Amino acid sequence: MKKIVVIIIALFVSLSLSAASNRIGVSVAPEWTWYSGNGGKADFLFMAEGANHFGGKHSLGIEYGLGVSFPFGDWSGNSKASAYGFVFKAGPSYRYEISSTMGFSLSAGVNGVVQAHDSDTIRVFTLDAYGSVSVDFAFMEFLCLDVGVMAGGTVFSDASAIGDSGNSADGDAFSRVFFAPFAVFSYRY
């Protein structure tokens, strides 16, 4: 496992050194989630995220992020739906440069959420597929604001008792669809 993590880190470092367009920044997003037949919730996401694109006006690349989610509201009546969590995302991205100060991006990938529920006795892991579209605006040469929307749904979910050796609870109860408008304040390099 350590070798895989080291290889992934080395890959991101090498990609960012050879990419034509890079950004790293902080994103904020309210996220609305609807569970299959079980109401929903709202969270507020804070992520450190980045993107590396290769090429000129039409550029393919990758985007990635790591952050936390804070519960904002719950209309499911389910205590499992509102907990602080750890979130991550990664996937391919396409950016079209409209002008030197504006660009348009499309991306898709996977994002995940890990949350502890019911006084930290149950751990819930949800892996989602997502798609996003955004427009970025450059201020000065190095400051950028991206605004857009991201939406997706569950690919895999698992709930297990913390401290237990992998006994799963009702994982289907955590199938979800989500929608999140976002803003990313980033530094271009």
Side-chain angles (χ1 to χ4, degrees):
M1 183 66 170
K2 287 183 183 179
K3 288 181 183 180
I4 293 172
V5 172
V6 169
I7 290 171
I8 291 171
I9 290 171
L11 179 67
F12 280 130
V13 169
S14 66
L15 287 175
S16 67
L17 293 176
S18 63
S21 170
N22 304 295
R23 71 168 172 80
I24 189 159
V26 176
S27 70
V28 293
E31 179 184 85
W32 289 276
T33 300
W34 294 270
Y35 292 104
S36 57
N38 202 14
K41 66 173 184 151
D43 291 325
F44 203 74
L45 307 177
F46 289 99
M47 292 184 83
E49 65 175 69
N52 305 103
H53 290 98
F54 310 92
K57 210 168 194 169
H58 305 280
S59 55
L60 291 173
I62 59 169
E63 71 174 10
Y64 43 88
L66 201 56
V68 294
S69 69
F70 297 96
F72 186 74
D74 181 357
W75 59 90
S76 67
N78 181 359
S79 65
K80 294 179 176 72
S82 56
Y84 296 95
F86 166 75
V87 295
F88 61 91
K89 74 174 186 174
S93 176
Y94 170 77
R95 182 176 183 274
Y96 179 76
E97 187 173 308
I98 298 169
S99 70
S100 61
T101 58
M102 190 171 157
F104 174 76
S105 297
L106 294 171
S107 61
V110 295
N111 72 311
V113 181
V114 178
Q115 296 173 313
H117 297 284
D118 294 336
S119 302
D120 298 332
T121 58
I122 296 176
R123 178 180 35 241
V124 176
F125 172 72
T126 306
L127 188 65
D128 301 312
Y130 76 89
S132 70
V133 59
S134 67
V135 176
D136 60 81
F137 304 95
F139 304 100
M140 298 178 266
E141 284 188 28
F142 58 89
L143 206 54
C144 185
L145 170 67
D146 287 49
V147 291
V149 294
M150 180 170 72
T154 300
V155 174
F156 172 79
S157 67
D158 181 59
S160 57
I162 295 176
D164 200 351
S165 60
N167 290 339
S168 291
D170 184 13
D172 290 337
F174 302 103
S175 293
R176 69 185 197 133
V177 174
F178 68 91
F179 174 80
F182 62 85
V184 183
F185 304 95
S186 56
Y187 171 75
R188 280 185 173 179
Y189 59 99

